[in-house]
Amino acid sequence: MTIHHIYAHTPSKNIPHCWHMLEEHLVETAKDASAFCKVFGAENAGFLLGIFHDLGKVNPIFQDYLLACNEGKRPERVPHAICGASYLWKMLLKTLQQNSHDASMAMCSLGHHGGLISGHKAATEGGKLDQWWRDVKNDELKKRMHEMLQNLPIRTPEPLPKGDLRRELYLRMLFSALVDADYLNTEKHFNQRRSAERGYWTRPADLWPIFRADQLRMMWKGRGSNINRIRKQIYFSCFRTGKRPPGVFRLTVPTGGGKTRSALAFALSHAALHKVHGFRRIIIALPYTSIIDQNARVYRDIFGDHFVLEHHSQVDIPEDGRQDENYLRQRFAAENWDFPIIVTTTVQLFESLFSNKPSRCRKLHNIAKSILILDEVQTLPIELLDQTMDVLRALVDQYGVTLVLSSATQPAFDQSQYLKAFDGIKIDEIITNYRTYFEKLKRVEYQPVRKYNTLSDLAMELAKPENTQALVILNTRKHALQLHKELEQLGVEGLYHLSTLLCGAHRKSLLREITERLDIDNPLPVRLISTQVVEAGVDFDFPIVYRAMGPLDRIVQAAGRCNRENKRPEKGKVVIFDFPGNTSAPGAYKIGTEDTKILLSRNSPEQLHNPELCTEYFQMLFRDVDLDKKGIGSYRRSLDFPTVAEKYRLIEDTLPVVIPTYDKHEGERRLQVHIEKPSRETWRRLMPFVVNLNYRDMHREEIKECIEEISPGLYRWTGGYDDKTHCGIQGIVRDPADLYLGD
C-alpha cells in the first residue's frame, strides 16, 4: 500500500466505492482548523494540529481495521490519536527546543476523540506521549508517519500565551478548532448534502437593518403607552452605546423595561458599527430553558428560523475512536454554533468552556469574535464565580469578545475586592441614567415580611376571592407540590404548577394558557405555584406575587412578574413570606438568604426598588462565600482538564429522558425517528419532549423502574406524567432548577 492509498475513513453508504484518503483528510482538516484559529491569532498552531491529528492512521493494523469495518464486521478498535500526538510532541520538543510544558498543544491531538487528559499524564517526561515515543515497538510506525509527512506542509506554531490560566483556555480553544475541523471534514465525506448546507451564515451586522425596521414598527404601534415610551428611551440608549469600542458592557434595566430586545439592539448595532472588528455571531445565554423558549420565539418572529439557533441540551454520545458511519452520524448531531444568533443556557455555555469532551468543546472556537450577552447574570453560581469571571475576562482580552452583563439586579463584579478576575477592568454602562428608570418603572409595592405558621395557612389565604390571580414562588419543588396539594384539596379554580420537570412542549403550552388567563380585559382564575424557574425573564403579569424568603436578587426578580405591563388600576403587590421549615440548599443560596434577612431588617421594603441595595447585597455575598470553593483555579493551572470538567458543574449531573406520552404520544413518534436516523435535525425535533433528570434521582429504586435506556445517554420515561394538574414527572420532588451549585 503506497502513501497515496492510505485511508482515513471507509466509503459512505451513498457512494460505496469512494474511500476517504488520509492525505486529503489531514490537509483539509489542517486548513479548516487554521482558519478557525486565525480568529484568535493561532492559525499555524491550528494547521499543525490538523496535519498530525490522524497521522497514526498510516498504521497497517488500522488500515485492516477500516477494511473490516467496510465489510460489515465489528473488529476490535485500533487506537490512532496517540501516534500522531506523540510524534508532534517530540517534534515540538526538538524543533522549538522548548520544555515539555510548552509542547502541551500536542494534548489537543491526543484527545480529539476521547477528550483532553491532564497535562501531567500526557505531555511530561514519563507521560503518555513520552512513553509511546520511547517504546521501540512503535519504530516502524514512526517511519511510516515520517514518510507521510514528507508530502505534507508543516508550520511553526505561535508561542503559547503567558500565564497558566490563559494557557489552559488557549489549549481548549485549539482543541475546539481541531475537533470541529475534523468533524466537518468527516461529515463532508459521509454526507455531502449536509456539508454543503453549512458555511453560508449571515453576519450579525447584516441583520441590523431587519431588526431596526421591526423595532420601529413596534414602537409606532405602542407609541401611546407610558411604559413603551420608557422602553423606546432604553432602546435608543442601547443603539447609541453600540458605537463604543468592543469590551465589557453592563445593561442595567428594571424588569419590564424591554431588556430582551434592547440587549439585541445593542449587539446588532455594535456589530454593524464595528465591521472592521468582524463580529461573527451573537450569543445570548440565559439561566433557564423556559426563558430560552420565550426569547428564541421573539428573535424568530423578527428574523425567521434560519438565523436563530436554540440550543440548551444534547445527548452525550460516548466519545471514542470508532469509525463506523452510524456512530459518526450521532456525533455530528452535536452543535458547533455556526449560526449568527445563538440562544443557549448558561449551563451549556459555561460547562462547555470548562469541559474536556470533544462534543462539548467543539463549539468553543466559535465564541471568538462574538458578542456574548449574559442575561440574568446574577444567577451565575457564586461558588464558581472566580474562575467563571476569569474565563470571561480572557474571552474579552484575547478572543475579541464583547461581553454584555444584563440584569435588573446587577452583581457589580467590578466593585468587589473579593473578585480578582475583574480587577482594573473598565465596564461601560449601556444605560448611564438607569437609576431614573427604576424610579419611573415602579409598578409594585413590596409588603413587609409575613410569617405563616404552616403552608396550610398560606393556602387558606390564596383561596380567598381577592387572590384568584396569584403567583407563588417557593425555594423547593417539595414545598411547591405540598402547597399545590393543599390548594387542590381546597378546590380552588385555575390551579397550575410549573417546574423544569415538565417537558418543553408542555411548558410552552402552559405558559401560553396562563398568559391568556391573565388577560386584563378578560381575566380568569389562575393560581400558579412554581419553583424558582419562573422568576427570571418569564413574561407573566400577575396582580400579586408571593415570594418565599430567599436571596435578595431572587425577590426582586420575582417582583418582575407582578404588574409587568403597568396596565392595572392599582400597583401590584409583592408579599415576601416565611414559614417554619422554609429551608434552602446549603451554600451560597442559604448565605444569600441570611444576608437578605439582615438587609431587610435595617431597610424598609421600599428600598428593594433601589438598585444600590442589590450592589450592597452582592458585596456582602462575595465577602461571605468562597468564590472558588472547589479550587478549580489550581487544577486549571496544572492543565488537569478532566478534574476541571468534573468540578465545574452549574447543576448536578443530569441525563436526558424522553417523555413519550405527552401530546398524544408525539414524543414517542419523534423518538422513533431519531433512533432510526439520528441527526442534528431529529434531535432538535425531539428536544421539546425531553426532561433532564438529576443523576442521583435516576438511581433511586422507585425511579429506576420508570426509566428505560434507549441508546447510550438517552432514556425513555415509563412512569407517571401528570399533564392534567401540570405537575409533570411524578415521583420526583426535586426540581433540577433548584440544583444550581451554590443554590
Side-chain angles (χ1 to χ4, degrees):
M1 184 177 295
T2 68
I3 290 293
H4 296 289
H5 290 85
I6 296 179
Y7 308 130
H9 301 105
T10 61
S12 70
K13 293 176 182 177
N14 298 326
I15 312 176
H17 302 296
C18 183
W19 288 78
H20 196 187
M21 309 310 298
L22 180 59
E23 184 175 342
E24 174 188 331
H25 175 58
L26 296 180
V27 172
E28 291 185 356
T29 300
K31 289 179 179 177
D32 284 347
S34 178
F36 296 155
C37 293
K38 184 177 181 180
V39 179
F40 50 91
E43 55 186 309
N44 290 346
F47 189 89
L48 200 62
L49 286 171
I51 289 296
F52 278 86
H53 81 289
D54 272 357
L55 191 61
K57 289 185 177 182
V58 299
N59 189 346
I61 301 174
F62 186 88
Q63 294 298 303
D64 291 340
Y65 161 77
L66 286 180
L67 291 169
C69 286
N70 192 48
E71 293 170 0
K73 300 175 183 177
R74 287 188 167 272
E76 186 176 341
R77 188 167 63 88
V78 179
H80 66 275
I82 190 172
C83 313
S86 181
Y87 198 116
L88 173 60
W89 179 75
K90 196 65 178 178
M91 187 197 79
L92 289 171
L93 289 178
K94 287 184 176 180
T95 306
L96 304 180
Q97 296 182 345
Q98 295 176 333
N99 59 44
S100 58
H101 193 64
D102 289 326
S104 53
M105 62 175 281
M107 294 168 61
C108 302
S109 180
L110 175 65
H112 76 274
H113 284 303
L116 290 165
I117 65 173
S118 76
H120 179 73
K121 291 181 179 178
T124 56
E125 187 173 344
K128 198 169 184 179
L129 299 177
D130 183 49
Q131 288 181 10
W132 189 92
W133 187 263
R134 291 176 183 274
D135 193 337
V136 294
K137 293 186 295 185
N138 298 319
D139 287 348
E140 183 60 34
L141 182 50
K142 294 174 199 172
K143 292 179 182 178
R144 287 179 174 271
M145 290 191 289
H146 180 74
E147 291 174 17
M148 172 65 83
L149 287 173
Q150 302 310 302
N151 299 316
L152 301 174
I154 301 294
R155 298 182 187 176
T156 301
E158 297 81 4
L160 271 66
K162 295 180 180 179
D164 293 333
L165 295 178
R166 293 295 177 266
R167 184 191 307 270
E168 190 259 3
L169 180 59
Y170 180 79
L171 289 174
R172 193 180 275 104
M173 283 293 201
L174 290 179
F175 177 64
S176 165
L178 172 63
V179 168
D180 196 25
D182 182 30
Y183 281 20
L184 289 173
N185 190 253
T186 306
E187 178 187 73
K188 182 180 177 181
H189 171 69
F190 283 117
N191 193 329
Q192 293 184 0
R193 180 190 62 80
R194 183 184 300 148
S195 179
E197 292 173 352
R198 294 185 184 269
Y200 65 88
W201 306 121
T202 299
R203 293 296 173 96
D206 300 321
L207 297 177
W208 167 238
I210 301 172
F211 176 83
R212 192 176 186 184
D214 184 83
Q215 181 72 18
L216 292 172
R217 280 194 298 272
M218 191 184 75
M219 288 190 298
W220 177 256
K221 289 179 181 178
R223 61 191 181 280
S225 161
N226 180 55
I227 195 168
N228 282 330
R229 282 196 294 271
I230 293 172
R231 288 171 179 169
K232 178 181 176 182
Q233 294 168 13
I234 291 170
Y235 162 77
F236 279 112
S237 292
C238 290
F239 164 62
R240 288 191 295 269
T241 310
K243 299 176 183 178
R244 297 183 195 167
V248 183
F249 293 83
R250 187 157 44 215
L251 178 58
T252 309
V253 177
T255 304
K259 183 160 51 68
T260 297
R261 290 181 69 105
S262 292
L264 187 60
F266 167 80
L268 289 170
S269 65
H270 191 61
L273 295 168
H274 294 282
K275 286 188 176 180
V276 174
H277 187 82
F279 286 112
R280 303 185 302 160
R281 57 192 48 84
I282 296 169
I283 302 169
I284 302 108
L286 307 113
Y288 302 121
T289 53
S290 54
I291 316 176
I292 286 185
D293 299 340
Q294 175 181 286
N295 286 23
R297 185 167 62 252
V298 170
Y299 301 144
R300 286 199 181 98
D301 288 345
I302 300 170
F303 303 111
D305 292 338
H306 297 297
F307 300 115
V308 181
L309 171 65
E310 182 181 349
H311 183 217
H312 32 93
S313 60
Q314 64 185 54
V315 177
D316 287 327
I317 304 298
E319 293 162 339
D320 54 35
R322 288 166 54 193
Q323 300 293 305
D324 58 281
E325 183 175 353
N326 191 57
Y327 166 75
L328 293 170
R329 287 175 66 90
Q330 292 184 58
R331 267 184 36 197
F332 297 152
E335 304 287 353
N336 69 347
W337 284 10
D338 190 10
F339 265 65
I341 297 176
I342 315 290
V343 188
T344 189
T345 57
T346 47
V347 174
Q348 180 68 238
L349 171 67
F350 287 109
E351 289 193 358
S352 296
L353 277 164
F354 288 87
S355 178
N356 68 322
K357 294 299 182 184
S359 61
R360 276 293 185 103
C361 290
R362 177 184 177 184
K363 66 180 82 74
L364 297 183
H365 71 92
N366 276 327
I367 297 175
K369 290 289 180 74
S370 70
I371 299 168
L372 175 57
I373 301 171
L374 296 183
D375 201 2
E376 309 298 352
V377 69
Q378 79 284 348
T379 62
L380 291 178
I382 302 296
E383 291 166 347
L384 298 174
L385 200 58
D386 182 72
Q387 294 305 302
T388 300
M389 302 313 290
D390 178 81
V391 165
L392 289 173
R393 179 76 181 265
L395 290 176
V396 173
D397 291 347
Q398 294 180 268
Y399 298 92
V401 168
T402 277
L403 175 64
V404 180
L405 307 170
S406 177
S407 178
T409 51
Q410 286 285 354
F413 297 123
D414 57 329
Q415 298 178 33
S416 173
Q417 61 178 308
Y418 303 100
L419 195 59
K420 301 300 183 185
F422 266 35
D423 273 355
I425 198 166
K426 180 180 182 293
I427 301 183
D428 276 325
E429 294 286 355
I430 294 177
I431 312 293
T432 54
N433 60 336
Y434 64 86
R435 292 173 184 84
T436 63
Y437 293 115
F438 280 85
E439 188 64 33
K440 289 179 180 179
L441 287 174
K442 279 186 180 179
R443 305 177 310 284
V444 304
E445 292 177 349
Y446 288 97
Q447 308 291 300
V449 177
R450 295 186 191 176
K451 303 277 188 177
Y452 295 101
N453 292 323
T454 65
L455 283 176
S456 298
D457 294 339
L458 174 58
M460 292 295 292
E461 182 171 323
L462 291 168
K464 294 178 180 178
E466 61 265 31
N467 286 328
T468 55
Q469 288 192 336
L471 166 63
V472 186
I473 302 174
L474 292 116
N475 290 317
T476 68
R477 175 170 155 93
K478 178 182 178 180
H479 286 141
L481 290 175
Q482 184 181 337
L483 180 60
H484 186 278
K485 186 176 181 180
E486 295 270 1
L487 288 166
E488 198 173 22
Q489 291 173 348
L490 290 172
V492 301
E493 292 184 81
L495 183 58
Y496 294 87
H497 171 72
L498 188 65
S499 80
T500 55
L501 288 173
L502 278 64
C503 68
H506 188 181
R507 189 169 56 245
K508 282 184 180 180
S509 173
L510 189 58
L511 292 173
R512 184 169 56 250
E513 184 176 334
I514 292 171
T515 301
E516 290 172 356
R517 296 178 74 92
L518 288 170
D519 186 348
I520 294 176
D521 297 325
N522 185 30
L524 294 171
V526 51
R527 294 171 172 92
L528 174 58
I529 314 303
S530 179
T531 62
Q532 307 154 36
V533 68
V534 76
E535 67 191 3
V538 178
D539 289 343
F540 284 149
D541 190 353
F542 282 86
I544 185 166
V545 170
Y546 288 76
R547 206 321 175 167
M549 177 61 74
L552 185 138
D553 62 302
R554 304 299 185 97
I555 293 171
V556 175
Q557 288 290 337
R561 312 316 117 201
C562 186
N563 195 23
R564 187 176 181 85
E565 296 298 322
N566 203 25
K567 293 180 179 179
R568 299 182 180 277
E570 298 178 351
K571 284 186 177 180
K573 293 182 179 179
V574 177
V575 178
I576 307 164
F577 67 93
D578 211 348
F579 59 94
N582 179 27
T583 56
S584 56
Y589 195 96
K590 186 173 184 178
I591 293 171
T593 301
E594 295 304 315
D595 287 344
T596 299
K597 289 179 180 178
I598 293 171
L599 287 172
L600 290 179
S601 70
R602 63 190 190 209
N603 289 278
S604 68
E606 182 70 10
Q607 282 300 303
L608 286 166
H609 289 293
N610 184 357
E612 305 305 325
L613 190 64
C614 266
T615 300
E616 184 180 354
Y617 163 74
F618 278 109
Q619 289 184 349
M620 290 174 65
L621 192 60
F622 294 165
R623 177 201 64 197
D624 296 339
V625 176
D626 184 347
L627 303 181
D628 188 14
K629 185 176 181 180
K630 297 195 172 185
I632 292 172
S634 63
Y635 295 109
R636 289 184 64 206
R637 290 183 181 90
S638 63
L639 303 183
D640 190 348
F641 291 98
T643 303
V644 169
E646 176 189 344
K647 289 185 173 295
Y648 192 96
R649 286 281 188 270
L650 271 71
I651 59 174
E652 295 184 25
D653 288 337
T654 59
L655 293 172
V657 178
V658 177
I659 306 301
T661 55
Y662 181 73
D663 192 16
K664 300 178 182 178
H665 296 272
E666 179 63 21
E668 182 63 30
R669 286 190 287 273
R670 297 190 186 192
L671 175 61
Q672 291 304 319
V673 172
H674 181 68
I675 292 171
E676 182 180 343
K677 202 170 186 180
S679 70
R680 180 176 52 184
E681 291 77 14
T682 59
W683 173 242
R684 280 190 197 155
R685 283 182 50 76
L686 183 59
M687 279 172 61
F689 296 88
V690 168
V691 171
N692 288 302
L693 293 188
N694 177 255
Y695 186 81
R696 284 189 294 170
D697 281 332
M698 293 179 72
H699 284 76
R700 288 165 44 204
E701 284 302 320
E702 64 271 28
I703 301 300
K704 282 173 66 175
E705 295 175 0
C706 300
I707 294 173
E708 176 187 1
E709 187 169 16
I710 303 302
S711 61
L714 180 61
Y715 301 81
R716 177 194 282 115
W717 178 255
T718 60
Y721 185 84
D722 178 2
D723 58 356
K724 302 301 181 186
T725 63
H726 309 293
C727 289
I729 287 181
Q730 296 180 310
I732 296 178
V733 297
R734 294 200 306 169
D735 183 348
D738 300 338
L739 300 176
Y740 273 71
L741 295 183
D743 286 10

